[in-house]
């Protein structure tokens, strides 16, 4: 099962569990994000093609992090004393796709947080006061 959705001026083909990099959004990590512009849905036995969008379909993801990569631009012309060196850092948002839903479908309930592996520390025993 996969879907094609549009974000900004780009189209992304995703399945549940995929990690995709979209344009930067100012949302906190581990928060839910929803993409409503679904263009195509391919299930196990059915295909929905939007004209241009599929009504009510949505792709739900969870923000993983906001990494950036730096790109260097270097220009050089030999024997002309011409050297230029620039850098550009493009921010983006990394999203993990959780659910692909059609009209009328609701996402399954989220899993409860995993219990911590370390047991809680008991308080120290009280010492009798000598008063």
């Amino acid at each position: 099962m996969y879907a094609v959705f549009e974000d900004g001026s780009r189209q992304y083909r995703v399945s549940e569990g995929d990690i995709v990099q979209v344009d930067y959004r100012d949302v906190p990590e581990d928060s839910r994000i929803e993409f409503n512009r679904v263009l195509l849905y391919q299930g196990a036995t059915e295909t929905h093609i939007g004209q241009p969008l599929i009504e009510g379909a949505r792709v739900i993801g969870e923000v993983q992090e906001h990494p950036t990569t730096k790109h260097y631009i270097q220009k050089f012309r030999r024997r002309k004393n011409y050297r230029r060196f620039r850098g550009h850092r493009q921010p983006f948002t990394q999203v993990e796709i959780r659910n692909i839903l059609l009209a009328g479908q609701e996402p399954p309930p989220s899993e409860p947080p995993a219990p911590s592996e370390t047991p809680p520390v008991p308080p120290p025993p009280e010492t009798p006061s000598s008063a």
Side-chain angles (χ1 to χ4, degrees), residues 2-127:
Y2 68 90
V4 175
F5 71 92
E6 183 180 45
D7 182 50
S9 62
R10 296 181 187 88
Q11 295 177 1
Y12 301 92
R13 179 183 186 260
V14 295
S15 298
E16 290 183 2
D18 285 354
I19 295 177
V20 65
Q21 295 176 353
V22 297
D23 290 336
Y24 179 78
R25 298 206 175 163
D26 192 18
V27 293
E29 293 181 7
D30 297 328
S31 65
R32 199 176 107 175
I33 190 168
E34 191 170 305
F35 302 100
N36 295 324
R37 297 185 55 84
V38 179
L39 305 172
L40 179 133
Y41 171 80
Q42 171 70 50
T45 59
E46 58 187 349
T47 302
H48 296 280
I49 300 173
Q51 297 187 6
L53 302 174
I54 300 173
E55 291 297 323
R58 55 201 168 131
V59 175
I60 297 175
E62 182 178 312
V63 176
Q64 298 293 315
E65 60 181 335
H66 299 285
T68 61
T69 56
K70 185 151 190 172
H71 297 280
Y72 295 103
I73 297 97
Q74 183 174 1
K75 299 179 182 179
F76 177 80
R77 301 209 178 178
R78 63 184 186 159
R79 300 186 303 270
K80 303 297 182 193
N81 195 22
Y82 179 85
R83 293 184 194 94
R84 302 292 183 262
F85 191 74
R86 292 273 175 197
H88 173 74
R89 186 176 296 272
Q90 181 70 40
F92 55 89
T93 300
Q94 189 168 331
V95 177
E96 181 179 358
I97 304 301
R98 294 288 184 190
N99 304 101
I100 299 172
L101 305 172
L102 292 174
Q105 292 180 340
E106 290 299 320
S110 60
E111 300 107 20
S116 61
E117 294 181 14
T118 58
V121 178
E126 295 184 21
T127 57

